[in-house]
Amino acid sequence: MPPCVFCVAAERVATATVRRVVPGLDELMGLALEEAAAAPAHGDVPIGAVVVGPDGAVIAGRHNERELHGDPTAHAELLALRDAAAHLGGWRLEGCVLVSTIEPCPMCAGAALAARITTVVFGAPDPKAGACGSLYNLGADSRLNHTMAIVPGVREAEAATLIRQFFAERRSPAEP
């Protein structure tokens, strides 16, 4: 099966260390941002993720549901990976792209590696828990049995604003 067009282009971007995004990634991040916007309705942090299949079609999209289900593993990326695996009928997501509004944490980056995701695209970095370049770079660790291309900074300002606004609203004093 030939690699998807987003994967090939994203790998070129990552290899060239150029931060310019591939056509189509802005739109995919828009879908992830839409997912993220649904999370605060049930008290969850607004993080969204989509998975794009090898043919370039979106096969899964989710947002955080930790508070909704009381599940510490219900991160948007993990839920989207589960849905993508169910859609494709197997755990190997080779040729797929994971698009997340925020840099994946160690759990989510590890799950992407285990699923054989080809490329991870994210919006805003996570300096406290990021595992795709900020604190760790699991996608580029040659000691692991799989590596992933990482494309940071797609619609970064929008993703960061969504998170900042969420926490600002939660920390502000309640109005009488």
Side-chain angles (χ1 to χ4, degrees), residues 54-66:
D55 63 354
V58 175
I59 59 174
R62 296 292 288 270
H63 56 273
N64 274 6
E65 296 181 5
R66 293 186 330 164

Side-chain angles (χ1 to χ4, degrees), residues 110-123:
L113 280 166
R116 308 298 193 265
I117 287 288
T118 303
T119 304
V120 172
V121 176
F122 67 86

Side-chain angles (χ1 to χ4, degrees), residues 18 20 37 52 64 69 81 103 109 118 129 138 165 174:
V18 174
R20 186 61 231 137
V52 181
N64 274 6
H69 296 297
L81 290 171
E103 179 181 3
T118 303
L138 294 180
Q165 286 176 341

Side-chain angles (χ1 to χ4, degrees), residues 77-99:
E77 302 94 331
L78 201 59
L79 297 172
L81 290 171
R82 288 177 185 160
D83 290 353
H87 176 83
L88 294 176
W91 65 269
R92 290 182 184 267
L93 303 180
E94 293 167 319
C96 293
V97 177
L98 173 63
V99 180

Side-chain angles (χ1 to χ4, degrees), residues 14-33:
T15 303
T17 62
V18 174
R19 281 185 57 138
R20 186 61 231 137
V21 297
V22 178
L25 292 183
D26 281 348
E27 292 81 9
L28 292 169
M29 184 59 73
L31 297 174
L33 287 164

